[in-house]
């Protein structure tokens, strides 16, 4: 049984570009949450998707958007990248006990 | 504003001793508190959940306490081993709110 998977593992982009990160939840899980973790900090909640709808959103600008597909997998899109968007982006599936993926390390130059 | 503080950035202890990590919070009334372990370059791994009406929870060598009056949780690892070396994160949540709030973590190093 595969756990939460994320792709790509690492990504390097330049300021102003757009990026798409992908997540497949743990088998049987229908809820996906996205977090941003800056170096030396704890994860910060971006948003959560359930039944293909954004159920809740954290304090992140509209440059951050997402999508959930009928198979429960999800994408995180970030437009107009800033240097400050460099972080580890984590996807977690299920509810209050969350199973995290390995993350995507995004570097914005 | 809400604040979650974990006692220190780093904690070094000798193998076999008990590690005690602290999570303090202000301006928040969580329904539950969770502890996660995170290894470098990996996602957090869930360890324990304790609810607001529970004082203590144990799992093998792990023990968590939750004092809603002091707004504090203590996380203990007894008989610590070098393999316990990692960053430990506390996270606060509500049942009707999916926005879990994480502390910055404490990096624990257990020396042989």
């Amino acid at each position: 049984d595969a756990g939460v998977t994320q792709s790509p593992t690492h990504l390097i982009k330049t300021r102003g570009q757009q990026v798409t990160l992908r997540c497949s939840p743990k088998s049987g899980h229908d809820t996906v949450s996205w977090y941003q973790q800056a170096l030396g900090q704890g994860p910060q909640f971006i948003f959560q998707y359930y039944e293909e709808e954004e159920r809740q959103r954290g304090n992140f600008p509209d440059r951050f958007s997402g999508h959930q597909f009928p198979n429960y997998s999800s994408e995180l899109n970030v437009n107009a990248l800033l240097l400050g968007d460099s972080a580890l982006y984590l996807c977690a599936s299920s509810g209050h006990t969350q199973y995290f993926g390995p993350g995507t390390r995004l570097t914005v130059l | 504003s809400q604040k979650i503080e974990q006692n220190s950035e780093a904690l070094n202890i000798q193998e076999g001793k008990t590690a005690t990590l602290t999570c303090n919070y202000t301006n928040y009334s969580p329904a539950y508190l969770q502890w996660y372990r995170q290894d470098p370059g990996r996602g957090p791994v869930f360890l324990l959940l304790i609810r607001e009406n529970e004082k203590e929870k144990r799992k093998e060598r792990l023990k968590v306490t939750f004092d809603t009056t002091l707004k504090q949780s203590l996380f203990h690892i007894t008989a610590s081993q070098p393999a316990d070396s990692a960053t430990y994160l506390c996270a606060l949540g509500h049942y009707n709110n999916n926005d879990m709030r994480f502390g910055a973590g404490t990096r624990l190093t257990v020396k042989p």
Side-chain angles (χ1 to χ4, degrees):
Chain A
D1 174 29
V4 179
T5 60
Q6 292 186 244
S7 63
T9 307
H10 296 90
L11 205 50
I12 299 175
K13 291 285 188 178
T14 55
R15 278 179 299 175
Q17 285 190 310
Q18 177 265 342
V19 68
T20 297
L21 311 181
R22 296 177 176 81
C23 169
S24 289
K26 190 174 165 63
S27 178
H29 289 182
D30 56 10
T31 303
V32 173
S33 300
W34 286 92
Y35 290 83
Q36 179 194 68
Q37 186 175 25
L39 205 59
Q41 300 297 315
Q44 273 198 293
F45 177 77
I46 302 175
F47 43 51
Q48 184 180 86
Y49 276 83
Y50 172 70
E51 292 188 343
E52 302 179 51
E53 300 261 336
E54 182 183 290
R55 180 152 74 172
Q56 186 168 353
R57 188 179 185 91
N59 190 24
F60 277 80
D62 292 344
R63 297 187 299 110
F64 290 77
S65 63
H67 188 78
Q68 186 177 33
F69 299 94
N71 66 353
Y72 307 131
S73 67
S74 177
E75 287 182 349
L76 164 65
N77 301 292
V78 187
N79 294 323
L81 284 167
L82 304 173
L83 295 179
D85 295 332
S86 294
L88 180 68
Y89 287 85
L90 295 162
C91 165
S93 74
S94 196
H96 304 292
T97 300
Q98 300 191 92
Y99 294 85
F100 282 87
T104 293
R105 172 70 61 188
L106 172 65
T107 302
V108 182
L109 302 176
Chain B
S1 62
Q2 296 169 354
K3 209 171 182 182
I4 301 169
E5 290 183 329
Q6 295 194 237
N7 55 328
S8 57
E9 278 191 25
L11 181 65
N12 299 314
I13 65 166
Q14 208 65 35
E15 183 176 8
K17 300 292 186 185
T18 296
T20 298
L21 285 65
T22 305
C23 177
N24 294 295
Y25 58 92
T26 56
N27 297 322
Y28 200 79
S29 296
Y32 60 87
L33 189 148
Q34 299 181 3
W35 284 89
Y36 289 81
R37 169 186 172 137
Q38 187 172 25
D39 291 287
R42 311 287 290 270
V45 175
F46 170 77
L47 296 174
L48 280 167
L49 178 150
I50 186 164
R51 295 181 173 82
E52 59 178 336
N53 61 345
E54 297 175 316
K55 296 292 183 188
E56 184 179 296
K57 209 92 173 270
R58 289 176 187 259
K59 180 183 175 184
E60 297 170 355
R61 295 184 296 112
L62 308 180
K63 184 177 90 171
V64 173
T65 63
F66 193 9
D67 189 326
T68 55
T69 301
L70 289 179
K71 294 186 181 294
Q72 180 183 78
S73 174
L74 299 179
F75 176 78
H76 307 272
I77 306 175
T78 57
S80 61
Q81 305 164 2
D84 295 326
S85 299
T87 294
Y88 291 86
L89 301 159
C90 68
L92 281 59
H94 267 290
Y95 295 115
N96 295 325
N97 187 339
N98 302 297
D99 182 356
M100 294 230 357
R101 301 297 176 95
F102 282 82
T106 296
R107 187 172 67 251
L108 173 67
T109 302
V110 181
K111 299 185 177 179

